[in-house]
Amino acid sequence: MKSAFVLLMLCITLNVASQSDADVLKTIYKQSLTNGKSYDWLNHLSNQIGSRLSGSLGAEKAVAYTKAELENLGLDRVWLQPVMVPRWIRGTKEYGYIESALGKTNTVNICALGGSIATPALGIKANVVEVKNFEELALLGKDSIQGKIVFYNRPMQADLILTYEAYGGCVNQRYKGAVEAAKYGAAGVIVRSMNLRLDDLPHTGSMTYDDLPVNERIPSAAISTNDAELLSTMLKLNTNTKFYFKQNCKQLKDVQSYNVIGEIKGSEFPNEYILVGGHLDSWDLGDGSHDDGAGVVQSMDVLRLLKASGIKPKRSIRVVLFMNEENGLRGGKKYAQESKQKGENHIFALESDSGGFTPRGFSFDCTDASFNQVLNWQPLFKPYLIHYFEKGGSGADVGPLKTESNVLAGLRPDSQRYFDHHHASNDTFDAINKRELELGAATMTSLVYLFDKYGVNPISNLDNIKK
């Protein structure tokens, strides 16, 4: 029975070797859409395990689950890479309100930002100073800010089609807002959620104190976009409006966690590595289905789809499920550090960390010559409505692997709804579309297949591609 199975797989592999690239991609997409595993894996990761913040029980369970599932795929090697990660806990649910007059309050939706300290046990109540940026903060100065709560209210720019540009244009107020406000003696910080729509959901995310002494650190929280609009309106009507908030978060000692790694060994160039991955950790408000459960299961399915499609890679293909992307990037840094120490040659690395929506294409961090090579493959993706091939960023976890000659890439799904869910309590499994998720896995697998077949070669290989 075993010999019959081996013979069948050999026949499939030989058949793939004689197929055109277009036919191989067709096989990959068919396998993913009719026999995919990504949706089932995500169902378990989201609904049976849930949120996976670094250092949490959920993260520990996710490591064990994904390692076991990769072992079930029959890869050549599966292992855990230890990494020390921060452990921040939210504590009891945060509470906040706007006070327009003594005894007259409006409750609002807030959440502590990741890494923030707690408020005093009885909370903080103070007058509010609204600003759009750090320049406005500096103009106001210490006399206007001392003892008050700074309210950062710069919205994401709605007219930018690439929503990550809108996010990048205002996320500094979340990340550095407390540091900047503390310079002027602020009592605390409230930040408008990074969200393009108006709703009642506060969105968390990482913040920093840099080198600020412990006794100068101030609590920092996000407020929903609806409540940010309300607070801004009330401040215009009454400059003496006060804000109250209470949160109980705490930073604990670092704990050990793991990157989860699986590998198919290359048949011709085993010392050339192609990496595909996503981050296993997630914020604690939802179950992290889009950020980044989708990228995790898509990356896992890349290796399964290669095997199921009868593709025997020339180069070693690794899936890496990184730990601690959200609040430290320790997993990505640790993987790159050990890889460099071992002298490993990563010719290509692909990350999925932009949600599980319909794939549109990729952005590439590479030389012009390598990008021209990629553009030669673009017609192969046209039947699947994959059209976005642009130079740009790749991913936070694969970024540390960058060299002068390799290619890094990021999967780019349609992003218009992504920030509705990003770091919020509605980042849940019900927001995932099975077909969109599977299309993403197939798209990633197809690009990995092409890089494995042709390598990173600045010489045009258009003539070698049988459309």
Side-chain angles (χ1 to χ4, degrees), residues 1-63:
M1 197 71 181
K2 185 177 179 181
S3 59
F5 174 76
V6 172
L7 183 61
L8 175 62
M9 291 305 298
L10 179 61
C11 291
I12 293 173
T13 301
L14 290 172
N15 184 45
V16 168
S18 65
Q19 288 181 333
S20 68
D21 291 331
D23 286 338
V24 174
L25 264 63
K26 186 175 182 180
T27 299
I28 290 170
Y29 275 89
K30 181 177 180 179
Q31 282 285 348
S32 188
L33 293 171
T34 62
N35 189 35
K37 282 283 290 179
S38 56
Y39 193 71
D40 290 340
W41 281 330
L42 186 58
N43 184 13
H44 185 99
L45 203 60
S46 299
N47 292 323
Q48 301 302 313
I49 295 176
S51 65
R52 305 173 297 279
L53 191 58
S54 293
S56 68
L57 178 60
E60 185 179 333
K61 288 181 177 179
V63 166

Side-chain angles (χ1 to χ4, degrees), residues 289-353:
S289 288
H290 275 296
D291 186 19
D292 184 29
V296 164
V297 297
Q298 287 172 331
S299 299
M300 292 168 65
D301 220 15
V302 167
L303 274 68
R304 190 196 66 84
L305 287 169
L306 289 172
K307 291 173 69 70
S309 302
I311 298 167
K312 190 171 179 61
K314 297 179 180 180
R315 295 162 174 85
S316 294
I317 315 293
R318 279 185 185 168
V319 56
V320 182
L321 311 180
F322 298 97
M323 185 56 69
N324 184 234
E325 186 273 348
E326 292 291 7
N327 60 335
L329 206 65
R330 304 251 187 111
K333 291 177 180 177
K334 180 64 177 291
Y335 180 86
Q337 178 188 35
E338 290 200 4
S339 175
K340 185 177 181 180
Q341 289 171 349
K342 295 175 182 177
E344 293 177 340
N345 178 22
H346 285 75
I347 67 164
F348 175 56
L350 170 63
E351 184 165 351
S352 173
D353 185 19

Side-chain angles (χ1 to χ4, degrees), residues 353-365:
D353 185 19
S354 300
F357 295 103
T358 303
R360 297 300 186 203
F362 307 92
S363 62
F364 296 90
D365 181 2

Side-chain angles (χ1 to χ4, degrees), residues 25-26 28-29 32-33 298 350 356-364 371 374-390 409-414 435-448 450:
L25 264 63
K26 186 175 182 180
I28 290 170
Y29 275 89
S32 188
L33 293 171
Q298 287 172 331
L350 170 63
F357 295 103
T358 303
R360 297 300 186 203
F362 307 92
S363 62
F364 296 90
F371 185 59
V374 170
L375 291 179
N376 290 335
W377 300 333
Q378 193 171 11
L380 293 167
F381 290 88
K382 187 177 179 180
Y384 309 100
L385 305 181
I386 305 300
H387 55 83
Y388 183 84
F389 285 71
E390 299 289 342
L411 178 69
R412 293 292 172 253
D414 188 297
R435 186 172 179 84
E436 291 179 337
L437 185 73
E438 292 168 346
L439 283 167
T443 301
M444 293 168 67
T445 308
S446 298
L447 188 63
V448 166
L450 290 167

Side-chain angles (χ1 to χ4, degrees), residues 25 28 47-48 51 59 75 81 101 103 126 129 142 212 220 295 316 325 377 398 409-410 415 418 422 439 455 464:
L25 264 63
I28 290 170
N47 292 323
Q48 301 302 313
S51 65
L75 305 180
Q81 183 179 54
V129 176
K142 194 165 188 176
L212 204 63
S220 187
S316 294
E325 186 273 348
W377 300 333
V398 301
S415 69
Y418 180 62
H422 184 250
L439 283 167
N464 297 327

